[in-house]
Amino acid sequence: MASTTTTTSQFILDHLGGPENIRQMSHCATRLRFQLDDVSKVDDKALDSDPKVLGTVPQGDHGYQVVMGGSVANYYQELLRLPGMEHFGDSTGGGPKRDASGKKQYEGVRGRYDWVDYAFEFLSDTFRPILWALLGASLIITLLVLADTFGLQDFRADMADQPDTYVFMHAMWRSVFYFLPIMVGATAARKLGANEWVGAAIAAAFLTPEFLALGEAGDTVQVFGLPMVLNGYAGQVFPPLIAAIGLFWVEKLLKWIIPEAVQMVFVPFFSLLIMIPATGFLLGPFGIGIGNGISDLLYAVNDFSPFILAIIVPMLYPFLVPLGLHWPLNAIMIQNINTLGYDFIQGPMGAWNFACFGVVTGVLIISLREHNKQMRQVSMGGMLAGLLGGISEPSLYGVLLRFKKTYLRLLPGCFAGGVVMGIFDVKASAFVFTSLLTIPAMDPMPGYAIGLAVAFFTSFFLVVFFDYRGVEEKKQVLADLAEAREAEALEADGTADDTADDAAEADAAPAAATAAAPAAATATDSDAATEEREFSLTAPLEGTAVALSEIPDPMFAGERLGKGIAIIPSGDTVFAPADGKVLTVQKSGHAVGLALDNGVQLLVHIGIDTVEMAGKGFEVLVEKKQRVTRGTPLIKFDRATIEEAGFNPITPVLITNTRKFESVTGLPTQAATVNTKVIDLVRKAPVAAE
């Protein structure tokens, strides 16, 4: 039997238009990322209806993201195993694809996408593979900062003055940040379709002992008879990004000039021969200049008023992160740590993160109160990923971008937390992800902790007291929960009654066994003959029969509660379409469930969201467990009253035990009476005895 992960992965692939519609596939901490040939083939409604999918985000003309939360890697790996997706898992899966003629199709910089969309997608997909290493290194930094806090070692002391154990621990996190240009060079080149290892080698050249021996940053040396200004490239991100773009164009030119038979040798040779000097003389200093320019601008604002910057940063982040525009700021944070020894962005940024986590924690409290299993799972995952890992995407895509009122609850927390950060002038002593575990990396630590608490609880209490949904959104959610509970109750009642019937038959069996034995074969043959495999149900009320997809409710339209038909009523009475008994009937009169003698469990739900009418306009004519025959009146209702109350009277007629049948087919027709067949059913074929 296929696992839930496999089933969900296949569901996602099918509703993205299949393997043939996918150009590229990757994933980040929470999102599956796709480049599609035709975004119009995506079924957004179906994807959003799956409880495993936290949200969907179209990006530009061809980009599409499916938010899966912390288990995204499992879904990514499962997608790679599906037919037609295997090639995305090879070493070139992130690079260019080939068309039917075998010609390479390069993405992005050729203008296939809107350049702004692609620029930020380029940044996001460059940093995405490095995210795990950055997160791991940030927690190692936190351990060392804690050791500094408790007087075990001086975090910023010269390595020559530190014990060997702490020197080694510093090497653990420096391995990520010092060699970050190599990682960025590789991932950026791969994103563009250039050779990732050549991209890494270009950046690595400027971290070698030989290059470092040329002199200090700012010195000028003669290389090839030309003056080269030296720079410190450790921890830099903009130089390798720009070098990767240059490599893309150089590789493309070389592949056009050099015969294919010898490209493997001469393309990387000339690429290194051209790009390393070009980076040293031009692209590297230009990249450092860009980083310094952005940093200087932010530093000027901070120098003018740290208080103002501390408010601006958390108020901007809720709008930057959904668009992927926060990655340049992350690069600046790393650069600030390397050049200034501290960073003034991360502290205020924590106010946005913890306001976000406050919102989802409030949603968790409300979902527990409402017994909303789906939102409980989403909010729980977002809260834990945020508070312990500093990852905001599960909260953002699982909650914040799905409901109207969330930003009205989020922004006050961002503002209040930013004010506190500004008062204490919080700075980061190391690049870390803002979580409960990394509080010691901020200075002053108590001021930062207070700022986080203010941001968190401001948004938390706003959600708990004023909800996170608009009136209509809340009404829809509560109606969906009510429908789900009705379906569960119907299923439970049917199961309980079936169990009771089975028990009664078991008790009677011993007494009747002897008398029944001679006729056993005849009885079995008779049952098989009288129980037709194919049969139909007639309409339980008069009106116009239409497909379930026409119901303006995703639970019914998506056949989440079972297959069947919908009837736009013209009459005022629901009748039993066949003999059976009443499994459940709502006190409000808006729904009735039947266990028919032919094995069908039937739900007739009069109108959409009519549970909120509290019985007004409905008259219940039967009671639970009552035997009924075909044509027995079950419920009378007043359509005019339903419509005056603002509800749609369209009535779903559902087979709630659909899975027990081989097929259930609704028969839409122009008009239906109680004698009109509206649903065809086929029983599952009996398993042949061996």
Side-chain angles (χ1 to χ4, degrees):
M1 180 180 292
S3 68
T4 302
T5 303
T6 302
T7 303
T8 302
S9 300
Q10 185 65 61
F11 176 85
I12 292 170
L13 182 60
D14 292 343
H15 290 88
L16 287 173
E20 63 279 0
N21 193 38
I22 297 176
R23 292 177 180 174
Q24 285 182 295
M25 179 180 71
S26 60
H27 75 89
C28 61
T30 57
R31 290 168 278 180
L32 293 168
R33 296 170 175 269
F34 300 93
Q35 288 295 324
L36 306 177
D37 284 321
D38 186 356
V39 177
S40 67
K41 292 182 179 180
V42 177
D43 190 341
D44 301 274
K45 184 176 180 180
L47 288 171
D48 286 329
S49 69
D50 191 298
K52 297 293 184 182
V53 175
L54 303 183
T56 56
V57 186
Q59 275 201 325
D61 295 332
H62 296 277
Y64 201 85
Q65 299 177 4
V66 181
V67 186
M68 302 303 297
S71 57
V72 63
N74 296 333
Y75 291 100
Y76 176 78
Q77 293 299 327
E78 197 60 46
L79 280 165
L80 292 178
R81 298 187 184 99
L82 297 178
M85 298 294 290
E86 301 89 346
H87 64 285
F88 289 107
D90 62 27
S91 60
T92 61
K97 293 179 66 177
R98 297 179 183 269
D99 59 20
S101 66
K103 183 179 178 181
K104 283 191 175 183
Q105 298 174 302
Y106 288 90
E107 310 288 348
V109 291
R110 293 185 63 165
R112 174 166 291 179
Y113 307 114
D114 177 84
W115 73 272
V116 174
D117 288 335
Y118 189 81
F120 286 106
E121 179 192 317
F122 168 57
L123 285 170
S124 181
D125 283 358
T126 294
F127 283 97
R128 169 191 53 78
I130 309 170
L131 185 62
W132 282 51
L134 288 172
L135 181 56
S138 75
L139 291 179
I140 293 175
I141 291 171
T142 303
L143 290 177
L144 290 168
V145 172
L146 279 171
D148 182 277
T149 302
F150 291 107
L152 300 178
Q153 65 107 28
D154 184 353
F155 180 75
R156 297 205 171 278
D158 189 271
M159 290 297 107
D161 299 328
Q162 298 206 33
D164 291 344
T165 299
Y166 288 104
V167 172
F168 186 71
M169 290 190 68
H170 277 275
M172 292 181 187
W173 70 263
R174 286 184 188 275
S175 66
V176 177
F177 290 95
Y178 183 84
F179 294 107
L180 187 62
I182 299 176
M183 302 180 196
V184 171
T187 55
R190 181 175 182 177
K191 172 61 183 176
L192 293 168
N195 186 280
E196 60 190 298
W197 303 117
V198 174
I202 293 169
F206 300 97
L207 300 175
T208 59
E210 291 78 9
F211 179 81
L212 297 177
L214 289 175
E216 300 292 330
D219 293 348
T220 301
V221 296
Q222 295 294 316
V223 177
F224 303 127
L226 299 172
M228 175 187 287
V229 178
L230 299 180
N231 289 282
Y233 290 96
Q236 295 287 343
V237 295
F238 286 104
L241 284 171
I242 297 172
I245 296 172
L247 175 64
F248 166 79
W249 290 107
V250 168
E251 271 196 9
K252 186 179 179 185
L253 176 63
L254 292 173
K255 289 177 181 178
W256 181 65
I257 296 172
I258 298 173
E260 188 172 353
V262 293
Q263 283 182 2
M264 185 175 180
V265 175
F266 290 104
V267 168
F269 166 64
F270 284 110
S271 294
L272 291 171
L273 200 61
I274 294 169
M275 286 306 305
I276 293 178
T279 302
F281 281 106
L282 180 63
L283 301 180
F286 179 66
I288 288 177
I290 291 176
N292 289 340
I294 299 174
S295 180
D296 289 345
L297 176 62
L298 292 172
Y299 188 81
V301 176
N302 184 69
D303 195 42
F304 172 74
S305 175
F307 183 78
I308 292 176
L309 184 72
I311 295 175
I312 290 175
V313 168
M315 294 295 284
L316 281 179
Y317 256 80
F319 305 98
L320 297 179
V321 176
L323 301 175
L325 306 184
H326 61 301
W327 283 110
L329 288 180
N330 288 353
I332 296 302
M333 294 176 201
I334 295 172
Q335 181 165 304
N336 285 343
I337 295 293
N338 290 324
T339 57
L340 303 176
Y342 65 90
D343 174 62
F344 45 80
I345 301 174
Q346 288 181 77
M349 185 190 71
W352 126 256
N353 272 334
F354 272 74
C356 176
F357 308 150
V359 169
V360 296
T361 305
V363 172
L364 174 62
I365 298 300
I366 291 177
S367 63
L368 289 171
R369 195 163 59 205
E370 294 176 348
H371 303 288
N372 187 337
K373 182 178 180 181
Q374 180 182 353
M375 286 308 300
R376 185 180 73 228
Q377 293 173 339
V378 170
S379 56
M380 176 74 79
M383 181 188 72
L384 294 178
L387 295 178
L388 300 180
I391 304 296
S392 61
E393 279 84 352
S395 303
L396 183 70
Y397 293 104
V399 176
L400 288 167
L401 296 179
R402 292 174 62 184
F403 299 97
K404 292 179 180 178
K405 295 292 183 70
T406 52
Y407 267 55
L408 296 178
R409 313 299 181 238
L410 171 71
L411 293 176
C414 293
F415 179 83
V419 168
V420 176
M421 299 292 184
I423 292 173
F424 285 96
D425 192 17
V426 175
K427 291 181 173 62
S429 58
F431 180 82
V432 294
F433 286 73
T434 49
S435 70
L436 290 174
L437 303 178
T438 57
I439 291 176
M442 302 297 167
D443 182 41
M445 186 168 58
Y448 179 67
I450 293 171
L452 296 185
V454 168
F456 180 91
F457 286 108
T458 298
S459 293
F460 171 79
F461 286 121
L462 284 173
V463 170
V464 170
F465 292 129
F466 300 105
D467 211 278
Y468 60 100
R469 301 159 291 195
V471 175
E472 293 301 321
E473 287 176 326
K474 182 176 181 180
K475 183 186 296 184
Q476 180 64 51
V477 169
L478 294 178
D480 289 347
L481 292 174
E483 302 297 351
R485 282 193 287 270
E486 287 173 11
E488 291 173 2
L490 182 63
E491 184 74 20
D493 285 343
T495 303
D497 289 341
D498 289 344
T499 303
D501 291 343
D502 291 343
E505 291 171 5
D507 290 340
T514 303
T522 305
T524 302
D525 293 341
S526 176
D527 290 344
T530 56
E531 189 178 76
E532 297 178 358
R533 186 163 177 243
E534 298 182 10
F535 63 103
S536 302
L537 284 182
T538 56
L541 70 161
E542 293 184 353
T544 302
V546 298
L548 285 179
S549 59
E550 296 193 27
I551 300 177
D553 180 278
M555 291 287 288
F556 293 124
E559 299 181 341
R560 299 281 290 278
L561 299 178
K563 296 183 178 181
I565 198 74
I567 297 178
I568 302 172
S570 58
D572 64 356
T573 305
V574 176
F575 300 94
D579 295 351
K581 61 182 175 182
V582 178
L583 276 180
T584 182
V585 60
Q586 297 299 307
K587 293 180 179 179
S588 59
H590 73 285
V592 61
L594 302 175
L596 303 180
D597 292 348
N598 54 22
V600 170
Q601 290 184 8
L602 189 74
L603 173 66
V604 182
H605 191 287
I606 306 165
I608 305 302
D609 297 336
T610 45
V611 64
E612 297 181 25
M613 295 181 66
K616 183 179 179 182
F618 296 90
E619 181 184 357
V620 178
L621 306 176
V622 291
E623 59 185 22
K624 186 176 180 180
K625 296 187 178 181
Q626 178 180 329
R627 285 290 304 175
V628 294
T629 58
R630 185 175 185 276
T632 300
L634 306 175
I635 296 174
K636 288 183 67 71
F637 61 93
D638 187 341
R639 174 174 175 170
T641 301
I642 295 173
E643 292 176 335
E644 287 172 4
F647 298 102
N648 192 327
I650 190 169
T651 300
V653 180
L654 307 175
I655 310 300
T656 58
N657 59 341
T658 292
R659 67 179 184 276
K660 294 186 177 180
F661 294 88
E662 184 174 301
S663 69
V664 176
T665 307
L667 306 173
T669 182
Q670 289 299 314
T673 68
V674 291
N675 294 315
T676 304
K677 294 179 180 180
V678 291
I679 302 176
D680 282 343
L681 299 99
V682 179
R683 302 182 195 279
K684 289 183 178 179
V687 179
E690 295 183 357

